[in-house]
Amino acid sequence: MDIIVTGGAGFIGSQIVRTLALKGHHLAVLDDFSTGRQGNLVDLDVKLQVGDIRDSDLLRRVLEESEVLFHLGAYISAPGSLQEPELCYDINIIGSLRVLEAAQRAGVRRVVLA
């Protein structure tokens, strides 16, 4: 099974990636490293794609071979969301919409949204 995890270098995402990797799944991670850390993925056999969930072309490419998507990519700062509400909206709403649309076009069988 080919699985992609958006936000897979973040705290929660990397724990999901680690658990799935230990179970032998083939994994890809999409992360822009705005809050995630590459160190969270050390010693894991994952295909790493650095990029933004709002990039429709990138999403098309990374999702085309995926069967399952764990979507954890998000703007996570509560104080930041008050200071930059448009950016928060753009990433969390528009970004998630683009992820879901790309998953549908790619024929992803299952989406887990966190």
Side-chain angles (χ1 to χ4, degrees):
M1 177 180 300
D2 290 312
I3 301 172
I4 185 162
V5 182
T6 64
F11 178 74
I12 296 171
S14 65
Q15 297 304 309
I16 291 171
V17 169
R18 185 167 301 281
T19 299
L20 293 170
L22 290 173
K23 293 184 179 222
H25 293 286
H26 294 92
L27 296 162
V29 168
L30 172 61
D31 205 299
D32 68 358
F33 292 104
S34 57
T35 57
R37 297 182 177 162
Q38 196 162 359
N40 289 340
L41 303 174
V42 169
D43 298 328
L44 295 176
D45 184 21
V46 299
K47 180 180 177 184
L48 179 59
Q49 178 67 54
V50 179
D52 192 309
I53 61 169
R54 296 170 292 174
D55 183 339
S56 297
D57 292 331
L58 173 63
L59 289 170
R60 179 185 47 76
R61 288 192 309 274
V62 299
L63 289 172
E64 66 188 359
E65 296 179 15
S66 299
E67 293 181 38
V68 177
L69 162 68
F70 284 80
H71 178 46
L72 289 95
Y75 185 98
I76 63 168
S77 170
S81 70
L82 297 173
Q83 295 165 354
E84 300 179 294
E86 290 179 9
L87 178 61
C88 178
Y89 176 87
D90 194 41
I91 293 171
N92 290 348
I93 305 302
I94 302 303
S96 292
L97 177 62
R98 289 190 179 149
V99 167
L100 294 173
E101 288 172 337
Q104 181 181 34
R105 282 192 303 274
V108 172
R109 290 187 313 116
R110 179 160 295 153
V111 174
V112 179
L113 177 64

